[in-house]
Amino acid sequence: MRDALSLSDQDLVEQIKAGEDAPFEALLERYRDRVYRLVVSFTKNPADAEEVLQDVFLTVFRKIASFEHRSSFSTWLYRITVNTALMKLRSRGPVQESIDEYLPQFTKDGRHARMVVDFTQGPEKLLLRKEREQVLREAIEALPPDYKVVLVLRDLEGLSNEEVAEIVGASVLAIKARLHRARLVLRGRLERYVTASGAQS
C-alpha cells in the first residue's frame, strides 16, 4: 500500500485496469477527504454526504476500465462526484426559490429599477460576521443545484472556469453565466438582510 501511495494517479489507474486491488485503495485514500468535503459543501448533510461518497467510489470502481486519460483522473472523479451529488440534491425535490428575482431589473431609461446596496464600505460594519455567514450559508443552500455546483467548485474549491466546465460538462460561457447569476442571488440575499436590518435599527 505504501508503494501504491507514491505512484501517480495515471500509474494507479493502469494498475487497477490490470486487475490489482491495492492501487484502488491508494486512490480511495488519496481522494476520500477531498470528495467528502466537496459533497458536504453541496448537501450540507453528513449522512447524505457519506451516501454520495460511497456511490462515487462505487461508480469509479465500476467505470475505471473505461477511463481514457483524456482528462486528469481528478477531473474525471470530480465529474462523477458532481453528477452523483446533483442526483442526490434533485431527489430532495425542487428548490422553492427562483433566482429570477435577484437578476438586475432596469427602467426604460437603463437605470437600476431598485436600490443597489453598496458593500464597498466594509460589510463587516454592516453585518456581524456570524450573522452574515449564516445568511450566506442559507443563500448558497437555496441555490438551484446547477448554480450551487458551479459556485462551490469555482469560489469555494478554487477551480478555474475551464476546470469547472470540464467537470460539469458545459461551456466556459455557460459556467460564467451560472456563476454570475449565483453571485447575484447571494448579493440579493445580503441586500435583503442589510435592508431589513437597517429598517429594524
Side-chain angles (χ1 to χ4, degrees):
M1 178 72 163
R2 288 186 189 278
D3 292 339
L5 286 172
S6 65
L7 295 174
S8 70
D9 290 349
Q10 184 172 349
D11 291 338
L12 291 172
V13 169
E14 291 308 315
Q15 287 183 7
I16 294 166
K17 287 181 176 183
E20 297 181 37
D21 292 331
F24 187 79
E25 292 291 327
L27 282 177
L28 183 64
E29 183 72 24
R30 185 174 292 170
Y31 286 102
R32 179 188 301 127
D33 291 344
R34 279 190 257 181
V35 169
Y36 180 78
R37 187 181 69 242
L38 181 62
V39 173
V40 165
S41 67
F42 295 146
T43 65
K44 302 296 184 212
N45 179 320
D48 285 348
E50 285 292 339
E51 184 180 328
V52 170
L53 181 71
Q54 289 177 6
D55 290 346
V56 165
F57 282 105
L58 183 60
T59 301
V60 168
F61 184 77
R62 288 179 180 158
K63 294 187 174 185
I64 202 155
S66 65
F67 177 63
E68 298 175 353
H69 300 285
R70 282 186 269 167
S71 62
S72 68
F73 174 79
S74 61
T75 298
W76 184 70
L77 175 63
Y78 269 23
R79 186 178 308 128
I80 291 170
T81 302
V82 166
N83 289 338
T84 307
L86 280 174
M87 285 191 300
K88 175 55 96 176
L89 290 174
R90 289 179 181 137
S91 73
R92 292 179 179 172
V95 176
Q96 299 299 318
E97 187 172 33
S98 167
I99 68 164
D100 292 338
E101 66 183 283
Y102 295 106
L103 298 179
Q105 297 174 2
F106 300 96
T107 61
K108 289 181 182 178
D109 62 351
R111 297 174 189 232
H112 279 276
R114 58 181 180 240
M115 183 184 88
V116 176
V117 176
D118 181 10
F119 290 109
T120 61
Q121 297 302 312
E124 292 79 15
K125 293 178 183 177
L126 299 173
L127 304 169
L128 295 172
R129 184 180 177 106
K130 293 290 182 191
E131 289 177 357
R132 186 183 71 228
E133 288 174 0
Q134 182 62 32
V135 169
L136 283 173
R137 275 194 296 275
E138 290 171 3
I140 291 170
E141 185 61 28
L143 286 171
D146 291 340
Y147 292 90
K148 184 177 185 179
V149 164
V150 170
L151 183 83
V152 168
L153 290 173
R154 184 72 177 86
D155 288 352
L156 301 182
E157 292 294 317
L159 300 179
S160 69
N161 288 331
E162 292 75 14
E163 290 170 316
V164 175
E166 188 172 348
I167 289 166
V168 173
S171 69
V172 171
L173 189 60
I175 296 305
K176 288 180 178 179
R178 289 179 197 172
L179 182 62
H180 179 68
R181 288 182 174 184
R183 288 173 177 166
L184 284 174
V185 170
L186 297 185
R187 183 179 180 93
R189 292 286 294 261
L190 278 175
E191 285 177 353
R192 280 187 181 174
Y193 179 77
V194 169
T195 303
S197 296
Q200 291 173 3
S201 56

